[in-house]
Structures are given as C-alpha cells and as structure tokens.
Amino acid sequence: MSNKEWLRQLSALTVLPYYEQHKIFGDKSGALIGTHDGYIVAVGLGRADGNHAAVKMLLRFSKAPDPQRIKQALEPVKGKFKVVTDESTAALVRTYSFGKPNAASIAEDLQNLLAALKTVASQISGKCEECGRAEQQVLLLNNVPGYYCSGCQVQLRQKLDAAAVAYENLETNYFLGVLYGVVAAGLGSIAWGGVAYLAHRIFLWGAIIIGLFVGKAVVKGIGKVTWPARILIGVLTTASVLFGDAIFYALSIAAREQAVFSVALKAVLANFWEIERKSDSGVISILFALVGAGIVMYSTRKPAFKAIFVPLGTPASTLSSAAAK
Ligand SMILES: [Zn+2]
C-alpha cells in the first residue's frame, strides 16, 4: 500500500483531515492534522533512528508544569511507540522494517493515547498558546501545528529576528577556535592512528566522528558558526586524519623494527606523501578524510532563527471523499 493510501485509510479511521501538502514529518505523502477532544493531533510517516521508516505522531496539549507526568501516563498505552514529552507536546515514533503497521492498529493506539492524555493534560484548542486569546484556527509554526493569534505571530517573528541579529553580532574568538580545534584534531589523530593500528583497518565513520568532534571544538572556541570556522573545521579534520595515518605508520614501524616511536614518527613525517601514496589504505584515508570533512562542514549550520507560519488550508482528502472511495 502506498503511503498516501495508508494515510487516507487512517484519515477515514480517525476522522483527521489529510493534508498532502504539509510534509511535517519528512515524507512527501504529507500528514493528518486536526483536533480530537480539544487536543491537536498530527500523524504521518517519516524517518527515525538512523533512517528507519517510522510512523510519527504529535499530540499537543495546554502547557503542563510537569511533562514527565504526561509521559508516565502515556507509557502504558503507547503500544510500540516511543514517547518524548515537553511542556506542551508528546512526540511519538514507531519504527518498522517490513511494511507499514496496520492503519487500524495505529488508530487504536491513537485512541488509547488520547484517552490517557485526557486524564493528565488540559485541552489546547480554541485559544492562542502565547496569550490565551480566543483563536480557532490551527496553523503550522515551523511545521508544528498549534494555535497562535495574529498579534502573537508578529511578536514571535520579531523575537526570532532579534535573536538572529544578536547571533550575528556575537563576538568571535578565532584564537580560541584554532586552539580548541588543534587540540581536538590532535586527539582525533591519536584515536585514528590507534584504532588503525589495533584493528588493522580504517573506518569512514571514524573520519566523520573526528570531524564532528573538531567541529564542536572550533565552534565552541570561536563562539558561533562562520565561514572561516567551517573552513577551519574542514582543514583540521583532514589534517587530523592524515596525522593519524602518520601515527599508524610510526606505530607499525616502531613495533616491527623495535625502534623508538618518536624516531619512527620523525622518519614517517619526512617521507609522508611517498608512504601515503604507496599504501592502499593511505589513499582511502585521504578520501575518507575529505568525505568526513565535507559532511561535517555541510552539517555545521548556523542555528535557524525563523518563525514560519503556514495556514493549514484545504485538506487533500476530507473524510467524505475518503469514505466515498
Ligand atoms: Zn496570542
């Protein structure tokens, strides 16, 4: 069954409108978004836990002082879902490997979850989440359905714009960024060389982990994400892997020739490119280093400070059209 058909079926079972155009869970099939007994409910398909296919659900309620209590109430009825709660949202994820779970079973899970939610959380519908003024329309704020009056929409936008400007104006400390980055890269080299020596192989994800580690250190030192910071992360990641190779060669030589490690390292560094070129793993290392650096540079983004409000519009499939099928 296609994702769209599955969602249409679930829409008929749950009486939740189906919006093909709102891909809030990542999948292009869209999502069901609506209200049930005063709670906002959204269900759709997406990815979770390292790219596993998953059914995803959001249940939204009035701000609660103790999200942990809501999690506890949902735990016994969550079925195969995993639950995470914050003060106004319970996010549920259920991964699957062979075919989507039966739509009827998901509808049943939803019913049980809502029944449990009613016992611990108050309804959210009918009022602005910020100021409490009457507001009937659900809309999406950065892909999360909620209630926001027009005045609070403007304010939220301004607040985030101000946060973006404040971030731009943060002081940068490149000296500290380089210092932290070099230390992190050095530790990365030792780990890379050590693992290669002990395991007799290298791993692409090793380069990515080093890159993430170096990236964290550089951004922490500099204070924010900038273009020079990204370039520094790429260069240091590559250097870290290559120096890690040098450590690996030196360890191997020192063991074989019973030489002192520092002497072996010096000799390796003096002939580094030649050794690296001749060794099969050397070429792969350079490739891995560049791929790792590229991925990490790409993924090191500035934090997003944007409030995007999208009205729900017209559902692609209403209950009546789904039932008529
Ligand atoms: Zn408001």
Side-chain angles (χ1 to χ4, degrees), residues 3 6-8 10-11 14-20 22-27 29-36 40-46 54-59 81 90 92-94 101-103 105-107 109-111 113-114 143 145:
N3 289 357
W6 188 84
L7 284 172
R8 240 175 254 133
L10 192 61
S11 168
T14 56
V15 205
L16 288 167
Y18 174 24
Y19 296 92
E20 251 181 75
H22 297 312
K23 301 156 180 66
I24 61 173
F25 295 108
D27 192 81
S29 55
L32 311 185
I33 306 165
T35 52
H36 247 293
I40 296 175
V41 181
V43 191
L45 299 162
V55 178
K56 295 184 167 187
M57 230 186 250
L58 289 179
L59 304 177
F81 281 91
L92 296 106
V93 174
R94 174 187 168 173
N102 193 322
S105 79
I106 299 296
D109 284 341
L110 176 59
Q111 221 168 30
L113 285 160
L114 280 168
N143 274 338

Side-chain angles (χ1 to χ4, degrees), residues 128 131 149 152:
C128 171
C131 68
C149 72
C152 288

Side-chain angles (χ1 to χ4, degrees), residues 81-269:
F81 281 91
K82 274 188 219 153
V83 194
V84 181
T85 50
D86 67 20
E87 57 177 8
S88 62
T89 308
L92 296 106
V93 174
R94 174 187 168 173
T95 54
Y96 60 86
S97 311
F98 307 104
K100 286 178 276 296
N102 193 322
S105 79
I106 299 296
E108 203 182 309
D109 284 341
L110 176 59
Q111 221 168 30
N112 296 337
L113 285 160
L114 280 168
L117 188 63
K118 260 183 229 172
T119 63
V120 282
S122 346
Q123 303 181 343
I124 191 173
S125 69
K127 54 186 194 294
C128 171
E129 290 179 35
E130 295 291 314
C131 68
R133 212 173 300 162
E135 176 58 53
Q136 299 308 322
Q137 292 292 339
V138 172
L139 53 74
L140 299 172
L141 164 55
N142 296 342
N143 274 338
V144 178
Y147 289 96
Y148 301 94
C149 72
S150 52
C152 288
Q153 286 181 43
V154 173
Q155 268 184 18
L156 275 171
R157 254 193 228 115
Q158 281 169 352
K159 213 156 79 184
L160 287 172
D161 284 348
V165 171
Y167 187 82
E168 281 314 315
N169 291 339
L170 278 180
E171 297 278 333
T172 51
N173 189 336
Y174 282 102
F175 173 74
L176 216 55
V178 172
L179 184 71
Y180 285 7
V182 166
V183 171
L187 293 173
S189 297
I190 293 168
W192 178 269
V195 169
Y197 179 68
L198 295 173
H200 300 290
R201 59 174 293 200
I202 52 171
F203 305 93
L204 176 57
W205 47 258
I208 297 170
I209 292 172
I210 290 175
L212 291 173
F213 183 52
V214 169
K216 263 219 163 78
V218 167
V219 171
K220 185 160 179 51
I222 292 179
K224 65 179 185 185
V225 178
T226 61
W227 266 110
R230 280 188 187 146
I231 293 163
L232 185 63
I233 291 165
V235 169
L236 284 176
T237 301
T238 312
S240 173
V241 169
L242 295 184
F243 191 61
D245 269 359
I247 291 176
F248 163 63
Y249 297 137
L251 280 172
S252 309
I253 292 170
R256 204 169 52 225
E257 319 272 332
Q258 307 212 309
V260 179
F261 174 74
S262 62
V263 176
L265 185 62
K266 232 181 233 168
V268 166
L269 286 177

